[in-house]
Amino acid sequence: MDLLRFETILLLLSVGGGLAQDALPHGPLYVELGQNVTFKTTVDLEKSFITIVWSKHSDEEGLEPIISLAGTTVNVVEGYAGRVWLNRTNGRLKMGPTTAADHGEYSVSMVDDKAVTQTGERELRVLVAVSSVLIASSPLEALETNSTVVLNCSALGSFLAFSWTNGTTPLLGDGKRTSIYNGEQWSSVTIREVNRWELRGPIGCSATNKLEKTVNSAPFNKSVHYGPEAVKMTSLPAVAAGGFVGRGSNMTLSCSAASAPPAALSWFHNGKALPGKTGPTLVLSDLGLTQGGKYHCSAHNAKTLRTVDAPAISFSVMEAISGAQVTGPEAGQLAGVAGGVNLTCGAAAGEVAQWAWLKDGAALPKDGRTTLLANGSMLRLLPLAKEHRGVYTCTLKNAVNSVNAAYTLVVFYGPDSLTIRGESAVEVNDELTLTCALDSDPPAAIKWRFNNTARAETTKVLTIAKVAYRDTGLYTCQAYNAKTQRNATSTFTLSVKEEGALDPEGLTGGAIAGIVIGVLAAVLLAVGAFIYCKRKQTSFCAVDVVPTAVCQSVPCVGRSPASC
């Protein structure tokens, strides 16, 4: 269609009757490059149009016709042939596939068969889809509190909108330390005096446009160099400041620091670097007396160029106590010795700081005869008594260990408290047991004598299975302690009685039983005779077999009481 024909149609539109109405919706129309797009009109119901003209605004040419309808004839401008279609009943324009040149302002003018004119304008924005969203940062390395970091997000596409996230939280500008700037195809975040946590993220950048397709960047992390700080040491086994460890023992020192990148750790003893000793641990094996002192680690960050020392751990190496021994008399001692006994507690190696004593597992008695001397290393027992015998335990202590040593003290004494126990009177044929009781250590030798004549028994117990009258007499127990060379004697008088002599009133158990039975029988007989006489009124007193006592107890009929 030539330009003259379009100008004729435009002239007809300009003289159309009726009030002009808005033919197009407001706002831009968006389409992805290469896709089809339809310009919809505000016509809802089908109409008959006399003329329809679609044009595109050009800065050089003004309105450039695209397609028109005149009566029943549709005319398409060269260059749009095969790419545009017109709906005769509602005026809609379909275009595609779109090119970048299609971007711009479009207008339509329509006159229906009632001479009503409708016009409208709308912008078409041909968009390139979002792609290639990338994050870059500068500088390449950042130092905490000393660096300003700029993150740049770029993307391909048109009419882009950007957003930032830190982890799952939106990253927004605060107008102070953090600022965000946006361009047509880029966005940047500027963080001043950056700290170590701000870029751990991951940081994300998203780009979108009106095509409603969002593209995300790959997660971005950036290390911020800091430290070293919080440099500290520990020891295994733990040792208090200024404490002690045993000679020959092992110790492991550990060092840690908060730092990025990780700090290089080196070790020092008494302020001097230990050659070749680096890393988080220092192992000290078989410690000698000269290896005590102050140890510390030093942490250095090659990026921040900072060096920080840990507080030192100090200790001394001490000889552990060994070879503990309690010395005393080699043999048992006699109770009552005027000089008493000294027990001494010592060790073959190690410096002893404290001594503690126990006797038979309990505290020492407060008897005035037990005294500690020489800072507690010596125990004096004066005067020595039998109560001092037993096991003495000495505990030796210093700052690194404690050991025990024991000594058994034997005290000779006795024989003491000698006595003979038994029954002083027994009946003939009874068993006799006499016990010679005494207190003696070592046990005393025992001899028995009877009426000053030696017997064969040599134990504490003398037993006679059946005593005879001849066993009556004086018994003597003699005790002798070979260690104390002491004798002790005790005597005991025994009386042997006839059988039954030791029972109540001199009667045996059988005799007493017979008497009781006889008395009970006599009483029963008397009661029976009395009852009988009362009933028969006859006398039986003449019967000689009736005992006199019974006869006197009942009335005698026909016989004088004298004959009873």
Side-chain angles (χ1 to χ4, degrees), residues 12-354:
L12 292 173
L13 290 172
S14 63
V15 296
L19 183 65
Q21 298 178 3
D22 197 352
L24 296 177
H26 296 286
L29 178 62
Y30 297 95
V31 64
E32 184 178 350
L33 179 67
Q35 300 298 316
N36 296 335
V37 65
T38 298
F39 287 87
K40 294 181 180 180
T41 65
T42 58
V43 177
D44 295 327
L45 300 176
E46 293 185 355
K47 289 185 177 183
S48 294
F49 290 94
I50 300 173
T51 59
I52 301 175
V53 177
W54 279 93
S55 305
K56 182 177 183 293
H57 292 265
S58 171
D59 292 337
E60 295 83 9
E61 303 295 334
L63 283 178
E64 293 183 351
I66 298 174
I67 190 171
S68 65
L69 170 67
T72 60
T73 303
V74 176
N75 298 293
V76 179
V77 175
E78 186 178 354
Y80 287 94
R83 293 183 56 242
V84 293
W85 297 268
L86 179 63
N87 189 314
R88 300 166 180 259
T89 61
N90 56 23
R92 294 183 179 183
L93 174 67
K94 182 178 180 181
M95 178 186 295
T98 54
T99 66
D102 293 329
H103 182 90
E105 194 79 22
Y106 289 78
S107 65
V108 64
S109 184
M110 303 182 295
V111 179
D112 61 19
D113 56 2
K114 296 180 181 180
V116 176
T117 301
Q118 291 181 273
T119 63
E121 293 184 349
R122 193 172 190 186
E123 181 184 6
L124 176 64
R125 294 181 180 179
V126 180
L127 306 181
V128 176
V130 181
S131 63
S132 303
V133 181
L134 301 174
I135 296 178
S137 71
S138 64
L140 295 178
E141 294 182 339
L143 304 181
E144 186 176 44
T145 71
N146 291 332
S147 297
T148 295
V149 173
V150 178
L151 303 178
N152 293 297
C153 180
S154 61
L156 297 179
S158 52
F159 295 96
L160 299 178
F162 294 88
S163 61
W164 293 85
T165 56
N166 188 344
T168 58
T169 304
L171 178 58
L172 305 174
D174 60 10
K176 298 177 181 178
R177 292 179 50 250
T178 304
S179 301
I180 297 179
Y181 305 95
N182 292 309
E184 239 182 74
Q185 290 185 297
W186 59 269
S187 179
S188 68
V189 177
T190 301
I191 303 175
R192 300 169 185 83
E193 299 177 356
V194 66
N195 65 48
R196 70 192 70 174
W197 299 286
E198 287 180 299
L199 298 179
R200 285 183 179 176
I203 304 296
C205 175
S206 299
T208 187
N209 58 20
K210 292 298 183 177
L211 298 177
E212 298 181 353
K213 179 181 179 182
T214 300
V215 179
N216 300 319
S217 69
F220 179 85
N221 295 281
K222 185 177 181 65
S223 296
V224 176
H225 303 317
Y226 65 90
E229 58 190 43
V231 184
K232 59 183 180 180
M233 289 174 54
T234 58
S235 65
L236 187 67
V239 59
F244 292 85
V245 297
R247 179 183 180 182
S249 61
N250 301 324
M251 177 177 287
T252 299
L253 301 178
S254 299
C255 181
S256 62
S259 177
L265 303 175
S266 54
W267 292 92
F268 293 78
H269 179 215
N270 292 332
K272 294 183 179 180
L274 293 173
K277 302 298 183 181
T278 59
T281 58
L282 175 65
V283 178
L284 304 173
S285 303
D286 191 19
L287 284 166
L289 296 178
T290 61
Q291 288 181 276
K294 292 183 177 181
Y295 287 83
H296 81 269
C297 72
S298 182
H300 176 73
N301 187 321
K303 297 296 184 179
T304 65
L305 303 180
R306 292 181 60 199
T307 300
V308 178
D309 293 339
I313 290 179
S314 61
F315 58 87
S316 299
V317 180
M318 175 180 285
E319 188 78 46
I321 300 172
S322 61
Q325 184 179 16
V326 177
T327 58
E330 295 182 359
Q333 298 296 296
L334 299 179
V337 174
V341 167
N342 292 333
L343 302 181
T344 302
C345 182
E351 181 179 347
V352 181
Q354 183 181 359

